[in-house]
Amino acid sequence: MAKHWAEPVTSVLRADGQRVVDLDPSTTPGFTGDKQLGKKLLVERGLVLSDLQERLFANGRTGDRRSVLLVLQGMDTAGKGGIVRHVIGSVDPQGVDHASFGVPTEEEKQHDFLWRIRKRLPVPGQIGVFDRSHYEDVLVVRVHNLVPPSEWEKRYGLINTFEREVADAGTTIIKVAMFVSLDEQKRRLRERLERPDKHWKFNPTDITERAHWPEYQKAYQVLLDRTNTDYAPWYVLPADSKWYARLAVTELLIDALTGLDLDWPKADFDVAEQLRRLDES
Ligand code: ADP
């Protein structure tokens, strides 16, 4: 278990029948330290993550088919972008494939909802990061009735089948649902409005969506209840404390990569002979 955790982050955050309406996003489950320690650890653990990621990448270059996929879901301002910058930002960019999914384009609308997702799955050796994902198709789509209920209702099963295929093909899937409180969201939106350097992040519909929070909570509840599987587990992440959310996701990735038991690939040449040749050159 990682230092300064009372319980492994994988068990403390694992979706396990929690009621979304009862979640307290201001908590920092399992972590025994404070913000200062959390921030310091993020740097330290980022180095561990970076080493593991390099091993994954190296193995991918030598025939290993495995990869990792981090799915990030959360309401606006939940901090998905911060996870990408501060967690994923600590590893070598060539080993990361970041994909964000917004309102589907005209072309995407011509295909089934998983079409655009399949195209962005990580190739062997990569850590794929989905900033929003196929889950939007049972979140915003469900809340706003963008397709009939008979259509979105089928998607939970389709998603499970899809994720089973992805996992069977060698991808370790980690799904993180980030929860920010309505108060904290208000604070973050206010900051976006008050700071000119943050205006670009603000979208007036973010305020409209706040009125739909109960429906989103319901949609998140159903999603957690119906798509939390052993091969593609959900983690429920309280996200009012940005430092905690970032540290927790770092630990989830470290755990997943450690589980792959990655050695450095063996040289496919005679090292002694190459050293001799080098000396003579
Ligand atoms: P972000 O808000 O994550 O910074 P964008 O400004 O691109 O990124 O917003 C993405 C928007 O696209 C969100 O409001 C999200 O709900 C919406 N979206 C994503 N996927 C879908 C989908 N399948 N159908 C409709 N809207 C979607």
Side-chain angles (χ1 to χ4, degrees):
M1 187 168 35
K3 258 197 312 186
H4 305 294
W5 288 83
E7 246 188 275
V9 70
T10 42
S11 55
V12 81
L13 295 183
R14 178 71 201 266
D16 185 20
Q18 296 96 326
R19 297 292 91 196
V20 170
V21 285
D22 297 333
L23 292 177
D24 181 353
S26 69
T27 54
T28 56
F31 188 61
T32 56
D34 58 6
K35 177 174 178 174
Q36 200 189 358
L37 178 64
K39 284 187 151 184
K40 184 168 150 267
L41 273 179
L42 183 62
V43 178
E44 260 176 46
R45 301 298 282 167
L47 295 174
V48 174
L49 177 61
S50 175
D51 176 75
L52 287 163
Q53 177 274 329
E54 194 181 344
R55 287 169 190 254
L56 178 72
F57 186 77
N59 280 281
R61 281 293 176 88
T62 51
D64 191 327
R65 307 292 304 160
R66 292 176 301 173
S67 60
V68 170
L69 174 62
L70 174 68
V71 174
L72 297 174
Q73 278 297 156
M75 298 293 286
D76 298 305
T77 77
K80 301 185 294 297
I83 298 284
V84 173
R85 279 192 307 281
H86 295 272
V87 178
I88 303 305
S90 69
V91 309
D92 186 343
Q94 69 174 333
V96 175
D97 191 4
H98 171 252
S100 46
F101 298 97
V103 177
T105 62
E106 280 313 312
E107 190 192 16
E108 287 168 353
K109 281 185 195 153
Q110 305 303 312
H111 297 85
D112 80 280
F113 75 105
L114 293 172
W115 181 76
R116 64 177 182 164
I117 306 293
R118 288 183 196 278
K119 288 206 299 184
R120 297 307 305 271
L121 287 170
V123 298
Q126 293 275 318
I127 298 180
V129 184
F130 283 179
D131 180 344
R132 304 184 188 273
S133 65
H134 40 301
Y135 286 99
E136 291 291 323
D137 290 278
V138 285
L139 288 167
V140 65
V141 168
R142 175 181 168 131
V143 167
H144 291 288
N145 279 312
L146 301 180
V147 300
S150 58
E151 192 59 37
W152 54 250
E153 180 58 40
K154 285 190 290 205
R155 290 183 173 169
Y156 299 97
L158 292 169
I159 287 173
N160 286 337
T161 307
F162 165 68
E163 290 180 347
R164 168 102 251 177
E165 270 170 41
V166 173
D168 286 349
T171 301
T172 301
I173 305 173
I174 306 164
K175 300 184 297 196
V176 178
M178 302 177 69
F179 290 95
V180 71
S181 63
L182 267 181
D183 282 350
E184 177 63 15
Q185 188 192 50
K186 191 178 226 171
R187 210 188 54 72
R188 292 181 186 180
L189 287 174
R190 181 179 299 282
E191 187 175 59
R192 288 184 182 182
L193 284 168
E194 286 176 349
R195 284 181 44 180
D197 62 323
K198 296 213 170 191
H199 285 171
W200 66 276
K201 289 191 187 183
F202 183 79
N203 185 339
T205 60
D206 296 350
I207 296 180
T208 322
E209 289 305 90
R210 284 170 61 76
H212 294 287
W213 185 221
E215 292 120 283
Y216 273 106
Q217 283 185 315
K218 172 90 202 305
Y220 268 101
Q221 187 70 59
V222 178
L223 168 162
L224 291 174
D225 291 344
R226 295 184 60 181
T227 62
N228 181 35
T229 56
D230 288 344
Y231 49 87
W234 272 111
Y235 295 96
V236 175
L237 182 61
D240 278 7
S241 299
K242 291 179 181 173
W243 61 268
Y244 173 80
R246 293 167 188 173
L247 181 63
V249 175
T250 302
E251 294 298 348
L252 288 174
L253 283 168
I254 288 176
D255 178 82
L257 287 161
T258 305
L260 297 182
D261 211 4
L262 297 157
D263 272 337
W264 292 108
K266 293 268 168 297
D268 60 359
F269 45 82
D270 182 335
V271 178
E273 185 196 333
Q274 296 305 319
L275 278 169
R276 208 164 37 246
R277 287 185 61 227
L278 181 65
D279 284 342
E280 286 164 12
S281 67

